[in-house]
Every structure is written in structure tokens, then in C-alpha cells.
Amino acid sequence: MKDGTETISQDPLKKRNHMPATLSSEIFGFLQDLALNNNREWFTEHKHRYTGSQQNIIAFLEDLIREMSGFDKELAKIDAKKSLFRIYRDTRFSKDKIPYKTNFGASLGMGKGSQKGGYYLHLEPGKSFIAGGIYMPEPCVLKELRKEISLYAGDFLALINNKEFKKHFPELDQEDKLKKIPQGFEKDDPMAEYLKLKNFIVVYDLKDEEVLDENAVENLTQIFKLMKPLNDFLNTPLLQG
């Protein structure tokens, strides 16, 4: 600020005196009610609940980003408010005309078509989770990732078979996995099953009580930190390119 004053959230030296934000159960209450009343009339009448939930999540994300920046400095560049996805659905080209999402999602450097490894937070009653890696990369990026895995198989296997990593993330996401090895790779490549993947992400499911825990910022940060080696591996060929 121009007058030289700073808030606690702006000054990392005051971090130790700052109590991290916690998520309110009202967030889940709002989402549950929205799922039962997914129409514009109800939403307009209860928009104050949405706004309150949104502000609560942004405050939580600010603290989460600050904490995660301790192991990934790139995250310090992320704006908490901008990282939170809109709740409004784009129904222009969809047969499903329900106007609102029934979850809150935040991209901490990860999104569809990402060109770089990142993190993601998903809040939904009974279905919350966090994720890390690269989701649905563009074809040119996907090819580079597959080449890296094939060339440095030992490093990749050591990473995903690490005891703590394996404990939290038993396997990489299998969504839309190819049935045959992609063109340009040998059929007998020992990494064939990994080369068939279209996403390179890991997911950790969260119970509602874990999300609402007073130590959620610290607890989630520790799990996100386990994803960092995967992001580093995936980012290597992309940063070099």
C-alpha cells in the first residue's frame, strides 16, 4: 500500500500470528440446497448464501496458497479470487440446461488443457477432493509427456512408487485411457500402460470432516506437497521446450 501500511495477509513475516481461515459447513449446506433447487428464482432469492460461501472459500484459498507457496514458489503468483471457478454453467451447447454447478472448484495452476503441472481443489458434499498434475493436455504436450515417461522410466516409477506417494495416490487417473499404445511408441515399451493415459493426474478424496477441519489449510498443504515431485517431472520437458 502507498502509505506503507500492510495487512497480515500481505506480510509473510506476520504469518505466524495469522490464524488460517476455515471452511464453514454452510458451504455444503448451500450446495445441498442448490442441488434440490437448481433454478434461477431460488438462486436469486438465496444469493446472499452463495456470496457468503464464495467469500469464505476465497479467504481459505488465500491462506492455502500462502502455505503452499512454502514448497512451490510459483503459487505465490496466483490470485485466490481468480482461481475460483464460476458457479454458473455454460449451457449454450449442452442439452442439460441446469444453470448452476453444485460444487465449488479452484484451479491452483491446473485446468483443462493445462500446459504445466498444477493443483486443484474441489468442494462438494460427500465428493470433495484435491488433485495434482496435468489434466487433458493438448496433443503436442501429451506427446512430450509420454516421451519423457518412456525415456526416464526409472525416475518416473521411483516417483509414483514412493511409499508416501503410493499411500495417498495408489494410481494415476485412468479416465479415457487408450486401449492401444499411442502411435510413435514401441508396442513392447515397458511403460506402455502409462503411455496410454490421456491425463497425468493424481486425486485424493476428502471426507466432509477433513474439509471442515480447523487445520484443513495445513493438512491439505501436506498432501498437496506430495504431488510436487510429479509436477516437477511433468514440467521438465515442457519448460525445456
Side-chain angles (χ1 to χ4, degrees), residues 126-141:
K127 299 179 182 179
S128 297
F129 65 87
I130 56 176
I134 298 182
Y135 178 62
M136 294 186 69
E138 298 295 331
C140 59
V141 174

Side-chain angles (χ1 to χ4, degrees), residues 35-46:
L36 297 173
N37 305 276
N38 204 324
N39 60 76
R40 290 181 175 82
E41 291 75 19
W42 185 90
F43 188 86
T44 298
E45 184 179 346
H46 295 83

Side-chain angles (χ1 to χ4, degrees), residues 168-187:
H168 290 82
F169 323 115
E171 66 175 7
L172 272 70
D173 181 73
Q174 303 291 305
E175 183 181 358
D176 297 326
K177 183 178 179 180
L178 299 176
K179 292 183 179 180
K180 297 181 179 180
I181 195 163
Q183 189 174 7
F185 296 90
E186 298 295 331
K187 293 182 179 179

Side-chain angles (χ1 to χ4, degrees), residues 210-227:
E210 291 180 280
V211 174
L212 303 177
D213 190 284
E214 62 178 6
N215 297 312
V217 166
E218 180 180 347
N219 296 339
L220 296 190
T221 296
Q222 293 308 309
I223 302 173
F224 274 126
K225 187 176 182 179
L226 295 173
M227 302 174 184

Side-chain angles (χ1 to χ4, degrees), residues 34-186:
L34 177 60
L36 297 173
N37 305 276
N38 204 324
N39 60 76
R40 290 181 175 82
E41 291 75 19
W42 185 90
F43 188 86
T44 298
E45 184 179 346
H46 295 83
K47 194 169 184 179
H48 63 284
R49 295 178 63 190
Y50 162 67
T51 302
S53 295
Q54 183 186 45
Q55 291 175 343
N56 182 192
I57 295 170
I58 290 172
F60 180 84
L61 287 171
E62 287 175 345
D63 286 339
L64 183 62
I65 290 169
R66 181 190 298 110
E67 196 72 19
M68 291 174 65
S69 296
F71 69 80
D72 191 336
K73 294 180 181 179
E74 288 296 309
L75 293 173
K77 303 174 184 177
I78 294 176
D79 183 303
K81 186 175 182 179
K82 292 180 179 178
S83 74
L84 188 62
F85 290 119
R86 287 164 51 86
I87 200 168
Y88 308 97
R89 295 183 65 249
D90 183 353
T91 61
R92 292 175 298 173
F93 308 107
S94 174
K95 292 182 179 180
D96 183 358
K97 298 302 180 181
I98 293 176
Y100 307 104
K101 300 173 187 175
T102 54
N103 65 76
F104 284 105
S107 169
L108 305 179
M110 185 175 81
K112 183 177 178 180
S114 295
Q115 307 299 306
K116 187 173 180 292
Y119 311 88
Y120 174 77
L121 170 67
H122 183 95
L123 300 176
E124 184 174 4
K127 299 179 182 179
S128 297
F129 65 87
I130 56 176
I134 298 182
Y135 178 62
M136 294 186 69
E138 298 295 331
C140 59
V141 174
L142 181 56
K143 186 175 182 179
E144 289 302 313
L145 296 175
R146 286 170 171 162
K147 285 168 59 178
E148 191 78 0
I149 290 171
S150 179
L151 287 170
Y152 300 98
D155 292 343
F156 184 75
L157 290 175
L159 186 164
I160 64 173
N161 288 319
N162 172 274
K163 184 178 180 180
E164 277 302 301
F165 188 94
K166 195 80 171 178
K167 175 183 175 182
H168 290 82
F169 323 115
E171 66 175 7
L172 272 70
D173 181 73
Q174 303 291 305
E175 183 181 358
D176 297 326
K177 183 178 179 180
L178 299 176
K179 292 183 179 180
K180 297 181 179 180
I181 195 163
Q183 189 174 7
F185 296 90
E186 298 295 331

